[in-house]
Amino acid sequence: MARAGQVRSRGAYLADHVALGVLTSVFPRPVVAAAIDAAGAREQRSRVLTAELTAYYTLGCALWHQESHEEVWELLTEGLAWLDDAGAADDDYVPASSSIPEAKERLGSDALRLLFGHAAGPLGEAGTPGVWWRGRRKAAVDGFTLDAPDSPGNRRALGGPSSEAGPGPFPQARVVAAAECGTGSILGAQAGGYGTSEIALFRDMVAAGTLGPGMVVIMDRNFLSYEGYAAVAATGADSVWRASASFGLPVTGSLPDGSWIPELRPPRGHGGDPVRVRVAEYTIDDEHGDPSEVFCLVTNLLDPAEASVEELAGLYADRWASETVFRCIKTTQRGGAEVVLRSKKPDGVLQEIWAILAVYQGLRHLICQAAAAAGAGPWRIPFARTLRAARRPAHGQAAFSP
């Protein structure tokens, strides 16, 4: 058995042989290498823990999120054929305890962000159930937070919730993402500290080109503003927003279906022309016939013939797509609210988040491929079952090479 930090195989590059099974189809080595080069994260001298191997290891940590660093390494490299080829069937390479964190810090977060960007995007085909509404691709936008280790660096850079009693137990990172309805695929995302608002991350996501013509975007009550509405409209996408009870939209006369068309005005002191929008209100009766709270939706779809109040209500209900995505990530993949991210450094926290999103998206690729082969909708294939299959040890898997 080789000691930690030593390797017995002569000149073998481990990155040529990592058996990461289900993820290598989505993140083949040329894609990983390109992301590393684009991020400027290529190692400057010869190392066993190359940037490419470190990137796969970081994805492995996101796949086996509740395992220790050492267990992730064993799972990642289990059953590798290169050991026999190198004449070292009874020996294996075990990184020193300090080597992996140092290698991950050298790699940084940008390479993982680019890997997520490679996998992100629509997966629904023309006939995929639940993806389309009147020829438009449906996307739901929402945000969530993740607890990070309580270190001085994370506290300073990320921030976190607080109350009169003081700061919360953990710093937090914030993520805003757009999810494709019907597949759960993440179209785009932005991540930052708790101190960065959902609205700011949403605007960054829109500016990055996540939304566009041929889409209808569904957003919950936290996102509606003149600036956000104008930013989405500029992409060519249609949109449906829920307005909070405090959002002022005066009734200016009623259309035949009960909706009305007021003007959405810029904040005082800000430039911009008023924009005509359509507002629809409705309630939902419970099983006893009692009405729910009033739902108030704002949309750019001004013609009731193009989108009735009932259709708008149905579209808003489809926001569950984003809630399902976030539940898969936070509960199924990560292990629940009690599980905290690993890194005590802010860039390491972002690296973990991008790796988690990349692995999630890789699994969605596999789900959609399997669903298409079976002639079923992607939601018929449980994410948890796919995750369990991906986490199985790699016994008997063929090693991949570039």
Side-chain angles (χ1 to χ4, degrees):
M1 178 73 68
R3 294 193 304 274
Q6 293 186 337
V7 63
R8 290 286 301 276
S9 62
R10 292 171 293 181
Y13 275 100
L14 294 183
D16 288 351
H17 306 280
V18 171
L20 203 62
V22 298
L23 294 179
T24 57
S25 63
V26 181
F27 305 105
R29 186 174 175 187
V31 168
V32 173
I36 289 168
D37 290 336
R42 177 71 60 185
E43 63 272 9
Q44 299 301 307
R45 60 186 177 89
S46 179
R47 298 179 184 274
V48 175
L49 279 174
T50 64
E52 291 170 22
L53 181 57
T54 304
Y56 280 113
Y57 175 81
T58 305
L59 292 172
C61 286
L63 178 60
W64 295 289
H65 196 270
Q66 294 177 281
E67 306 295 342
S68 68
H69 284 297
E70 294 76 13
E71 290 168 328
V72 171
W73 179 265
E74 292 178 4
L75 288 164
L76 189 65
T77 57
E78 193 171 25
L80 296 182
W82 72 275
L83 293 174
D84 288 330
D85 294 341
D90 296 326
D91 298 79
D92 59 334
Y93 170 75
V94 181
S97 59
S98 62
S99 298
I100 290 175
E102 291 172 356
K104 292 181 71 177
E105 187 171 353
R106 288 194 302 269
L107 179 65
S109 63
D110 277 352
L112 274 299
R113 177 180 58 81
L114 293 171
L115 285 178
F116 164 71
H118 164 78
L123 296 178
E125 303 291 344
T128 304
V131 173
W132 304 95
W133 175 79
R134 290 184 175 248
R136 301 167 176 89
R137 189 182 301 272
K138 295 183 292 184
V141 174
D142 212 338
F144 63 95
T145 57
L146 295 169
D147 289 339
D150 189 8
S151 67
N154 283 345
R155 282 284 180 191
R156 286 192 302 270
L158 302 177
S162 62
S163 65
E164 293 181 357
F170 296 105
Q172 289 186 343
R174 191 187 301 278
V175 179
V176 168
E180 181 180 53
C181 299
T183 68
S185 176
I186 300 179
L187 305 176
Q190 289 291 322
Y194 183 87
T196 305
S197 70
E198 284 187 338
I199 292 176
L201 292 175
F202 169 68
R203 291 174 188 163
D204 289 344
M205 185 182 71
V206 173
T210 299
L211 310 179
M215 299 176 65
V216 57
V217 188
I218 309 152
M219 280 154 289
D220 213 350
R221 70 184 90 190
N222 294 335
F223 293 95
L224 180 59
S225 68
Y226 175 87
E227 294 87 346
Y229 182 95
V232 173
T235 70
D238 294 312
S239 57
V240 177
W241 315 63
R242 184 175 180 186
S244 66
S246 61
F247 200 95
L249 289 166
V251 178
T252 56
S254 180
L255 296 173
D257 66 346
S259 62
W260 69 94
I261 299 180
E263 288 185 336
L264 187 61
R265 295 179 176 274
R268 290 181 180 178
H270 292 68
D273 297 324
V275 179
R276 296 175 74 232
V277 297
R278 179 164 161 242
V279 178
E281 289 185 341
Y282 63 95
T283 59
I284 299 174
D285 292 343
D286 63 17
E287 58 184 2
H288 304 294
D290 297 324
S292 67
E293 62 180 322
V294 176
F295 291 85
C296 179
L297 303 183
V298 178
T299 181
N300 70 313
L301 299 167
L302 303 183
D303 186 354
E306 186 178 14
S308 67
V309 173
E310 291 76 14
E311 284 181 290
L312 293 175
L315 279 173
Y316 179 67
D318 284 340
R319 79 192 186 286
W320 66 267
S322 61
E323 296 174 359
T324 300
V325 166
F326 298 157
R327 184 169 63 250
C328 288
I329 291 172
K330 296 183 66 173
T331 302
T332 309
Q333 182 178 344
R334 193 173 61 105
E338 69 279 4
V339 178
V340 179
L341 298 174
R342 301 172 189 259
S343 181
K344 296 181 178 180
K345 296 185 177 182
D347 192 63
V349 169
L350 292 178
Q351 183 189 72
E352 287 183 66
I353 290 172
W354 291 122
I356 289 170
L357 296 178
V359 168
Y360 169 86
Q361 191 63 14
L363 295 174
R364 282 295 174 199
H365 275 261
L366 298 177
I367 287 171
C368 289
Q369 291 168 8
W379 290 111
R380 300 293 298 275
I381 300 178
F383 181 82
R385 183 183 300 171
T386 306
L387 180 63
R388 286 195 299 270
R391 284 173 169 170
R392 288 173 187 152
H395 293 302
Q397 289 187 8
F400 81 97
S401 83

